[in-house]
Amino acid sequence: TRIRPSSKRCAVIGGSGFLGRHLVEKLLGKGYTVSVFDIRQSYELPGVTFHQGDLCDKQALLTALQGVSLVFHCASPAPASDDKALFQRVNIQGTHTVLQACTEAGVQKVVLTSSASVVFEGTDIKDGREDLPYAKKPIDYYTETKIEQEKVRTLLPHTETKIEQEKVRTLLPHTETKIEQEKVRTLLPHTETKIEQEKLVLKACDKEKGLLTVAIRPHGIFGPRDPQLVPILVDTARRGNMKFIIGDGSNLVDFTFVDNVVHGLILSAESLRPESPICGKAYHITNDEPVRF
Ligand code: NAD
């Protein structure tokens, strides 16, 4: 027997993750009934039902989506992985399976957490709008800087003096070569699969069939319990590996506080109605001004 979807009943796929858990907590506070679907359970919370499973498994998803009208998809393998097959399986095939399961379970709305990197091709973007085309040669920003870090360290172990810093600055403009870009792309297919994932979700928006979709594109997310961004920065700084400048020192990077991303996700879910102009669209989300990095 199928339970009739209730508008306040939602599921968070990837709800055990950093963003997912913040979203779950906010949804509970707003009176939603929340189910979490994730390959791991990282916490317990009164009022939350956990379903442990792989999002590539439609049967497991169907069990978790019983009676659910709203699905937030915030699951992804860790972006630093270089397992191309895993990204393709989870981000592309898995998202396809999620959309199929949503249709079969009678889910009415799907909100995807995409990424601003889907439009980043290695050149600066300021005040980038949503009509920017998808990147043809997506680069993972973090990996690019990691590779550059390694290089700089190999080239210049004594970066602590002003002279060395100057040298590094002279050396670095040459490092943005096509070869490096190719390397990065081969190393990190994450962004490529995020583009495919977003396209799949937005294309699935079908008012006739009664499935509405929208995507939110944050860049770096920070906030309490962040397992990646700030801890990695702090660790890198402690190890003395940040004593150089990449580029001319005026690079900007966009970071968004996790609660603002959560706010954007819930706002888009609540505004998603058949007559709404946001149906099938992607939106960048940011705090305010980008940060000098
Ligand atoms: P996270 O790693 O903390 O959480 C991801 C969750 O997905 C984990 O709990 C993991 O167990 C789950 N998961 C992975 N594979 C799964 C599978 N096959 N089936 C079910 N669950 C699976 O990551 P996060 O930082 O919370 O990111 C959430 C989303 O936001 C991701 O889609 C990510 O691409 C996007 N995003 C994150 C950032 C950031 O800075 N953290 C920036 C831009 C976009």
Side-chain angles (χ1 to χ4, degrees):
T1 53
R2 204 162 105 176
I3 306 168
R4 221 175 131 254
S6 140
S7 65
K8 278 284 189 181
R9 189 178 283 271
C10 64
V12 180
I13 304 177
S16 289
F18 164 51
L19 174 63
R21 181 173 171 184
H22 279 279
L23 176 61
V24 168
E25 289 170 351
K26 180 63 94 192
L27 286 166
L28 286 175
K30 285 179 139 281
Y32 283 85
T33 306
V34 187
S35 293
V36 166
F37 184 92
D38 202 297
I39 35 169
R40 64 187 176 116
Q41 180 174 353
S42 62
Y43 60 97
E44 285 193 31
L45 211 54
V48 178
T49 316
F50 280 89
H51 297 267
Q52 207 167 336
D54 189 324
L55 62 82
C56 301
D57 178 351
K58 197 170 83 181
Q59 282 314 315
L61 279 168
L62 283 173
T63 310
L65 297 183
Q66 281 281 310
V68 165
S69 71
L70 165 62
V71 166
F72 293 94
H73 180 357
C74 325
S76 171
S81 159
D82 61 357
D83 189 340
K84 189 170 180 157
L86 177 69
F87 284 123
Q88 281 175 339
R89 191 180 71 81
V90 177
N91 286 350
I92 303 177
Q93 281 138 256
T95 298
H96 195 70
T97 309
V98 166
L99 291 166
Q100 267 183 341
C102 285
T103 307
E104 285 179 34
V107 169
Q108 289 144 9
K109 302 177 184 185
V110 175
V111 180
L112 172 72
T113 305
S114 182
S115 168
S117 56
V118 299
V119 295
F120 181 65
E121 249 178 313
T123 43
D124 295 347
I125 299 174
K126 195 160 183 253
D127 301 328
R129 290 169 29 145
E130 287 79 3
D131 55 8
L132 280 168
Y134 285 113
K136 285 193 191 67
K137 291 178 182 169
I139 303 175
D140 189 285
Y141 172 79
Y142 295 106
T143 312
E144 188 183 26
T145 56
K146 276 250 170 273
I147 288 174
E148 298 308 330
Q149 264 183 24
E150 283 302 322
K151 257 205 190 168
V152 173
R153 258 186 293 155
T154 327
L155 286 166
L156 280 181
H158 310 292
T159 48
E160 279 156 48
T161 66
K162 281 278 166 220
I163 299 159
E164 296 305 322
Q165 275 185 12
E166 279 307 318
K167 266 198 206 164
V168 173
R169 250 179 285 161
T170 328
L171 281 165
L172 274 169
H174 302 292
T175 53
E176 284 165 36
T177 64
K178 284 274 167 220
I179 297 162
E180 289 309 316
Q181 281 189 8
E182 282 301 322
K183 257 202 211 163
V184 172
R185 264 196 297 153
T186 328
L187 278 168
L188 261 192
H190 179 57
T191 309
E192 270 168 309
T193 59
K194 288 294 279 185
I195 292 175
E196 286 311 309
Q197 178 188 55
E198 189 188 280
K199 285 184 183 168
L200 270 176
V201 170
L202 299 183
K203 214 171 65 193
C205 188
D206 189 332
K207 290 173 199 175
E208 310 292 298
K209 282 193 191 155
L211 183 70
L212 304 179
T213 66
V214 65
I216 292 295
R217 294 175 178 168
H219 190 244
I221 308 173
F222 68 94
R225 302 189 301 257
D226 156 30
Q228 289 182 47
L229 194 66
V230 174
I232 290 172
L233 281 180
V234 170
D235 185 54
T236 313
R238 285 216 173 106
R239 283 189 284 113
N241 292 338
M242 283 184 121
K243 293 175 180 157
F244 54 84
I245 298 166
I246 292 176
D248 65 3
S250 63
N251 297 331
L252 299 174
V253 178
D254 191 62
F255 295 110
T256 310
F257 184 54
V258 65
D259 282 0
N260 290 337
V261 181
V262 165
H263 180 64
L265 290 170
I266 297 178
L267 212 57
S268 57
E270 292 182 344
S271 315
L272 200 54
R273 288 189 206 92
E275 69 281 5
S276 162
I278 74 166
C279 289
K281 298 226 178 94
Y283 291 91
H284 295 156
I285 183 153
T286 181
N287 273 347
D288 185 10
E289 283 292 304
V291 180
R292 206 167 280 279
F293 196 61

